Amino acid sequence: MPPRLLANGASTDHPAPSLPFVDDAHLAADLTRCPEAARRTLIPDPEREDLIWVVHAHPQLGRSILLYAVDDPGAAPAGQWQADAPLVTRAGGYWWDGAGWYRPPQLWDATAGAFEQHPVPAAATVTAADLLSDPAADASRGRLLRVADLADQPECGDWLDDLALWANHRSAADQHPPLERCVVTLTAPELAGDNLIGTRALAALASITASTLRAYMNRNQGAVPQPQVMIGRRAMWSRPVAQDWVEQRRRPTPDRWASPNGDGALPPGAEQIRSRLDPLFYAALYEDPARRARWALRFRGPEAVRDVAGELARLAATELHSHLPGQDLAQVLAHAALADAGVGELPKALETVLRWLALHDPQAAENAVTAIAARAGTHLGDVSQDFLHRLRTAAGTGCDHHGGRPTAT
């Protein structure tokens, strides 16, 4: 289950709307150690192992402090905790760069190797100062919760009162941005209620059924964008976000590997590898009952695909490594090195290949160096010690050689 966003930290500079504030004074030492230039830092709560604080610092824009609930404290951080995530995201992925707002990143530019950035037309930033200009805000009615008292789904009372209490709480603190620079959320014409669409309309844009879209969302498939708002239990999206998702679905997948039915014959060596791995992959994916079960819909999530990809990668690595002609290659290297031993220069190409052999077959590489040293001492007399040292270094051996015989160091 993905982590659940529960609350703002009381020391945050950019409070997320409608979330309660939680006292983070017990994190003072950890917050001080967070480097100001760091993108994100994860701090497990010292009082409750089911809670994690996400501190996102920026040297000019301040910091965002959010509290998440996690079902598995040892699990890897979720995608929204990645180090390169924006400082402030609101309304289902709309993000702020310190000057303006952009739509959620969905359209991938394969040439640039990055997502396209689409500014939000007529977007306006709503700051804490804007909201606190409302005379109804009353800090005396606000709440500052403690971690020990925090429920799994804490209720938020009048958030404007909580915000006023938060503002008073930070007034005595130093080095915080003024309230006029504390971002709460954004407004934009495309986020107005009458411009949002629901599940059926989004499915129709993508030429799929509403049930298929719901299945994507339940199984975390299809890269369905986060809804911009939940009205009751109904997810609603802005039309531009919906259109970006549909366009990305229609874009051709970048060529990350050759098409299985591509034109032209493979080189003989590549064809030999393909013909060897083809039946192995088929057997691994289908003939093994345990793996065949993973074709069921409930197993088609990213973690299941990652597991299968890891197994296939290991199978390919084992199969290819088993066909490495290590000893034959060692003999070829020995002959090539002896041709240069008299000159005293170890060619870079030979050193590179010897390093590669040492990585894949250390024993064969050491045998090659032993043979080279023995034959060079017998037939060529004195051989440059630098030449032998570079050979031993390239092969990664732990032996020294004298008079053609290996001796322990």
Side-chain angles (χ1 to χ4, degrees), residues 247-260:
E247 181 180 343
Q248 178 62 30
R249 284 171 53 84
R250 291 172 179 167
R251 287 187 176 184
T253 303
D255 292 331
R256 296 176 59 192
W257 48 71
S259 168

Side-chain angles (χ1 to χ4, degrees), residues 286-366:
Y286 197 75
E287 293 181 355
D288 185 322
R291 290 196 183 98
R292 188 192 310 172
R294 298 190 183 187
W295 291 104
L297 285 175
R298 66 181 181 276
F299 290 120
R300 292 185 191 173
E303 292 302 322
V305 173
R306 189 175 293 111
D307 289 344
V308 173
E311 293 172 1
L312 290 179
R314 184 176 182 85
L315 175 62
T318 302
E319 177 66 16
L320 294 175
H321 193 269
S322 68
H323 287 76
L324 175 71
Q327 296 303 323
D328 292 337
L329 185 55
Q331 292 186 31
V332 173
L333 287 173
H335 288 298
L338 286 171
D340 293 289
V343 180
E345 293 290 335
L346 180 63
K348 182 64 176 177
L350 192 150
E351 186 176 359
T352 299
V353 175
L354 185 55
R355 287 184 185 278
W356 179 89
L357 180 62
L359 184 64
H360 292 273
D361 193 337
Q363 186 59 53
E366 184 169 348

Side-chain angles (χ1 to χ4, degrees), residues 132-408:
L132 293 174
S133 63
D134 187 335
D138 186 349
S140 66
R141 297 196 301 260
R143 301 178 308 158
L144 179 61
L145 304 180
R146 297 186 308 165
V147 166
D149 300 330
L150 196 62
D152 288 341
Q153 296 292 338
E155 294 183 1
C156 187
D158 191 325
W159 193 74
L160 199 59
D161 294 339
D162 293 348
L163 184 67
L165 179 61
W166 163 82
N168 287 353
H169 174 82
R170 61 186 272 112
S171 62
D174 297 328
Q175 298 181 344
H176 282 295
L179 295 177
E180 292 78 11
R181 289 169 46 201
C182 295
V183 175
V184 176
T185 188
L186 80 155
T187 62
E190 65 190 56
L191 292 172
D194 55 354
N195 286 331
L196 301 179
I197 63 174
T199 302
R200 290 186 179 278
L202 178 58
L205 282 176
S207 300
I208 58 177
T209 65
S211 60
T212 298
L213 177 58
R214 293 189 187 95
Y216 283 165
M217 296 170 65
N218 291 336
R219 297 168 185 152
N220 194 27
Q221 297 174 342
V224 179
Q226 298 178 59
Q228 273 54 73
V229 67
M230 295 292 294
I231 300 178
R233 299 181 63 182
R234 295 177 58 206
M236 304 294 288
W237 292 265
S238 74
R239 189 169 293 275
V241 168
Q243 292 169 339
D244 282 352
W245 179 62
V246 172
E247 181 180 343
Q248 178 62 30
R249 284 171 53 84
R250 291 172 179 167
R251 287 187 176 184
T253 303
D255 292 331
R256 296 176 59 192
W257 48 71
S259 168
N261 298 314
D263 297 332
L266 291 171
E271 174 58 32
Q272 187 180 59
I273 293 173
R274 187 209 63 75
S275 62
R276 189 164 68 240
L277 293 181
D278 189 344
L280 289 176
F281 282 0
Y282 177 81
L285 290 171
Y286 197 75
E287 293 181 355
D288 185 322
R291 290 196 183 98
R292 188 192 310 172
R294 298 190 183 187
W295 291 104
L297 285 175
R298 66 181 181 276
F299 290 120
R300 292 185 191 173
E303 292 302 322
V305 173
R306 189 175 293 111
D307 289 344
V308 173
E311 293 172 1
L312 290 179
R314 184 176 182 85
L315 175 62
T318 302
E319 177 66 16
L320 294 175
H321 193 269
S322 68
H323 287 76
L324 175 71
Q327 296 303 323
D328 292 337
L329 185 55
Q331 292 186 31
V332 173
L333 287 173
H335 288 298
L338 286 171
D340 293 289
V343 180
E345 293 290 335
L346 180 63
K348 182 64 176 177
L350 192 150
E351 186 176 359
T352 299
V353 175
L354 185 55
R355 287 184 185 278
W356 179 89
L357 180 62
L359 184 64
H360 292 273
D361 193 337
Q363 186 59 53
E366 184 169 348
N367 291 345
V369 173
T370 301
I372 293 167
R375 294 177 187 175
T378 301
H379 299 291
L380 299 177
D382 291 333
V383 179
S384 166
Q385 291 301 308
D386 179 65
F387 181 88
L388 295 177
H389 175 72
R390 289 179 61 187
L391 277 176
R392 290 194 296 271
T393 300
T397 61
C399 297
D400 192 13
H401 299 275
H402 180 72
R405 291 184 298 276
T407 58

